[in-house]
């Protein structure tokens, strides 16, 4: 079936992006993998390429588009090459929607031009040690000073993707105690300058996968945050967080589908080149059947991912639909990548092969952005169950 989700502009972007990846990323990716992060200056290159400004208004240096389809192309092309762009995905997919939705005109003038060029990389800090997905249970606090000029931020965060290189971090903290009726009340969002006194980056966490994406622990000790860096209204942060969950889960769903598609590509290439018992592995019936089954699953995931993309761009992607897309695409990717690794035999377990890295990278898709179990709960509730 012919895909209709992309037009000529998207395909031209794909060609540019593919050439960029081949020239700027593939030759040095093993170095990034060994170092556990992409170098900071790489983000300036992404800024020059225009990656960060696609959905930023023209008045702030962006392209002024309002579509996630260019991000979708990026997911497909990075997966196809078996690479990642470090922690930059959080910069665009997670941080930007909050800036666009909550920032005042004055804040946008300060934040967005540097956002577009990569001069200021952004991350978002929600999760805390011991709370996990229970955001309402966060302990970090931000207390307004007596003179009303700044907040004093104290607390700790963990699992913060992009946290090592971040220049600004959207930090979620309590500005008021929860109420008996609503324990989610009292959370606010702040655009914290990482150069602030008392702000520190702890361990760069050693993850199972996503090795080139820096993930860190953060700590705040009496960090002064100017009132001008409060995002949105006080005490409404939890509701702001929920507003962007659909787009976040779409990104995970589409990324998982792209990984599954790439896995089939890697496996097909390998079995055509690898010879056992005097013939290519691709000649065996089991190989053909396994890859055919994987391709059928990828076709289905592509249809789900494309439909979700169209709905998101139209502003019609519901929380339940986003949960369904995430659940389906991530579970498909889990099965497909596992089977494609099996076709590689022992070499599939070696990190020099992209399928091995893909296997490790993919595992978190069923955890972050809401676990598969949470997705099932959301879908069941939407069904009236």
């Amino acid at each position: 079936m012919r895909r209709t989700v992309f037009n000529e502009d998207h395909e031209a972007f794909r060609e540019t992006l593919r050439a960029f990846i081949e020239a700027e990323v593939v030759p040095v990716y093993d170095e990034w993998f060994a170092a556990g992060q992409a170098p900071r200056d790489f983000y300036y290159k992404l800024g020059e390429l225009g990656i960060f400004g696609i959905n930023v208004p023209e008045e702030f240096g962006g392209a002024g588009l309002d579509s996630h389809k260019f991000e979708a192309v990026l997911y497909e092309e990075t997966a196809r090459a078996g690479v990642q762009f470090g922690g930059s995905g959080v910069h665009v997919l997670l941080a930007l929607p909050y800036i666009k939705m909550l920032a005042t005109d004055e804040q946008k003038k300060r934040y967005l031009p540097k956002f577009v060029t990569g001069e200021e990389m952004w991350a978002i800090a929600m999760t805390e040690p011991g709370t996990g997905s229970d955001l309402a249970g966060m302990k970090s606090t931000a207390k307004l000073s007596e003179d009303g000029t700044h907040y004093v931020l104290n607390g700790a965060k963990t699992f913060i993707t992009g946290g090592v290189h971040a220049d600004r971090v959207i930090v979620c903290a309590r500005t008021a105690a929860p109420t008996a009726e609503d324990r989610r009340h009292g959370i606010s969002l702040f655009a914290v300058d990482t150069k602030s006194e008392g702000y520190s980056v702890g361990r760069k966490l050693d993850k199972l996968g996503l090795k080139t994406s820096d993930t860190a622990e953060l700590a705040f000790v009496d960090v002064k945050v100017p009132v001008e860096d409060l995002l949105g209204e006080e005490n409404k942060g939890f509701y702001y967080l929920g507003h962007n969950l659909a787009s976040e889960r779409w990104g995970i769903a589409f990324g998982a589908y792209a990984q599954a598609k790439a896995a089939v590509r890697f496996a097909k290439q390998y079995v055509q080149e690898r010879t056992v018992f005097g013939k290519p592995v691709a000649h065996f019936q089991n190989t053909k059947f396994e890859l055919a089954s994987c391709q059928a699953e990828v076709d289905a995931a592509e249809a789900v991912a494309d439909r979700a993309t169209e709905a998101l761009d139209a502003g019609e992607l519901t929380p339940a639909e986003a949960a369904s897309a995430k659940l389906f695409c991530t579970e498909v990717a889990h099965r497909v990548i596992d089977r494609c690794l099996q076709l590689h035999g022992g070499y599939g377990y070696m990190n020099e092969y992209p399928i091995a890295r893909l296997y490790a990278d993919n595992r978190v898709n069923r955890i972050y952005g809401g676990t598969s179990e949470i997705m099932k709960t959301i879908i069941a509730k939407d069904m009236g169950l």
Side-chain angles (χ1 to χ4, degrees):
M1 294 179 289
R2 185 175 65 87
R3 295 178 81 185
T4 58
V5 69
F6 300 124
N7 61 29
E8 293 180 358
D9 290 337
H10 302 123
E11 295 306 329
F13 175 68
R14 185 188 302 278
E15 291 182 12
T16 299
L17 186 59
R18 188 174 295 184
F20 174 83
I21 291 171
E22 289 297 322
E24 301 289 345
V25 182
V26 172
V28 294
Y29 195 71
D30 286 345
E31 298 174 19
W32 297 4
F33 189 85
Q37 61 186 33
R40 178 63 180 83
D41 61 3
F42 173 67
Y43 298 133
Y44 291 110
K45 294 181 180 180
L46 292 180
E48 292 174 1
L49 190 64
I51 296 292
F52 298 150
I54 292 172
N55 291 323
V56 173
E58 292 183 57
E59 61 187 296
F60 303 115
L65 302 179
D66 188 20
S67 171
H68 288 78
K69 293 181 180 180
F70 291 93
E71 293 173 48
V73 171
L74 191 149
Y75 283 126
E76 289 187 335
E77 289 306 305
T78 50
R80 178 185 182 277
V83 302
Q84 295 173 343
F85 283 177
S88 64
V90 169
H91 183 70
V92 174
L93 183 63
L94 298 189
L96 182 57
Y98 289 103
I99 301 173
K100 292 176 67 175
M101 178 176 68
L102 302 175
T104 63
D105 289 341
E106 184 277 330
Q107 287 175 322
K108 289 177 180 178
K109 290 176 182 177
R110 282 194 290 125
Y111 300 152
L112 288 177
K114 293 180 180 179
F115 181 100
V116 170
T117 62
E119 184 178 347
E120 277 193 354
M121 293 299 297
W122 287 62
I124 185 166
M126 294 184 279
T127 306
E128 296 184 358
T131 63
S133 297
D134 182 20
L135 295 180
M138 69 176 61
K139 306 297 185 192
S140 295
T141 61
K143 297 182 179 180
L144 188 64
S145 63
E146 291 184 3
D147 62 7
T149 62
H150 63 273
Y151 292 84
V152 180
L153 174 65
N154 284 281
K157 300 289 182 178
T158 192
F159 305 148
I160 309 307
T161 301
V164 174
H165 284 318
D167 301 289
R168 275 196 185 269
V169 177
I170 299 174
V171 177
C172 312
R174 283 207 164 275
T175 45
T179 65
E181 297 78 20
D182 188 1
R183 61 192 295 265
R184 298 170 295 182
H185 171 78
I187 294 172
S188 301
L189 307 185
F190 300 90
V192 180
D193 186 339
T194 63
K195 297 185 293 296
S196 302
E197 184 177 354
Y199 180 104
S200 63
V201 177
R203 292 186 302 152
K204 180 167 74 70
L205 300 174
D206 184 15
K207 307 186 298 296
L208 170 67
L210 303 177
K211 289 293 189 179
T212 65
S213 174
D214 56 297
T215 302
E217 295 174 330
L218 306 179
F220 323 111
V221 179
D222 293 334
V223 176
K224 293 182 178 180
V225 183
V227 293
E228 293 81 8
D229 286 328
L230 171 69
L231 284 175
E233 296 182 40
E234 248 191 22
N235 303 326
K236 293 188 177 180
F238 193 94
Y239 306 99
Y240 297 145
L241 296 174
H243 185 273
N244 288 322
L245 278 176
S247 62
E248 178 182 352
R249 288 169 179 164
W250 164 82
I252 297 170
F254 204 98
Y257 141 69
Q259 288 176 324
K261 182 177 182 179
V264 173
R265 176 174 178 267
F266 296 145
K268 179 182 175 182
Q269 181 179 5
Y270 178 83
V271 299
Q272 288 176 328
E273 296 174 352
R274 173 69 169 164
T275 301
V276 295
F277 305 118
K279 62 177 68 174
V281 176
H283 282 203
F284 293 93
Q285 186 180 63
N286 179 69
T287 303
K288 296 177 181 179
F289 281 7
E290 282 293 287
L291 281 177
S293 295
C294 287
Q295 183 62 53
E297 290 214 70
V298 168
D299 287 344
E302 181 180 85
V304 169
D306 285 357
R307 185 181 69 174
T309 302
E310 295 285 18
L312 182 63
D313 271 14
E316 299 172 353
L317 185 65
T318 69
E321 289 169 343
S324 178
K326 180 182 184 296
L327 176 65
F328 183 78
C329 291
T330 58
E331 293 291 343
V332 164
H334 159 65
R335 294 191 296 269
V336 167
I337 294 170
D338 183 77
R339 292 162 79 177
C340 288
L341 185 150
Q342 187 75 13
L343 289 173
H344 283 70
Y347 289 105
Y349 205 65
M350 301 295 112
N351 274 328
E352 64 184 282
Y353 283 80
I355 192 68
R357 300 179 184 183
L358 195 57
Y359 184 86
D361 292 347
N362 174 261
R363 185 58 184 88
V364 76
N365 287 334
R366 291 180 288 150
I367 298 174
Y368 66 3
T371 64
S372 291
E373 292 72 25
I374 294 295
M375 298 303 101
K376 292 174 184 177
T377 300
I378 295 170
I379 297 165
K381 184 177 180 180
D382 186 68
M383 294 170 66
L385 300 174

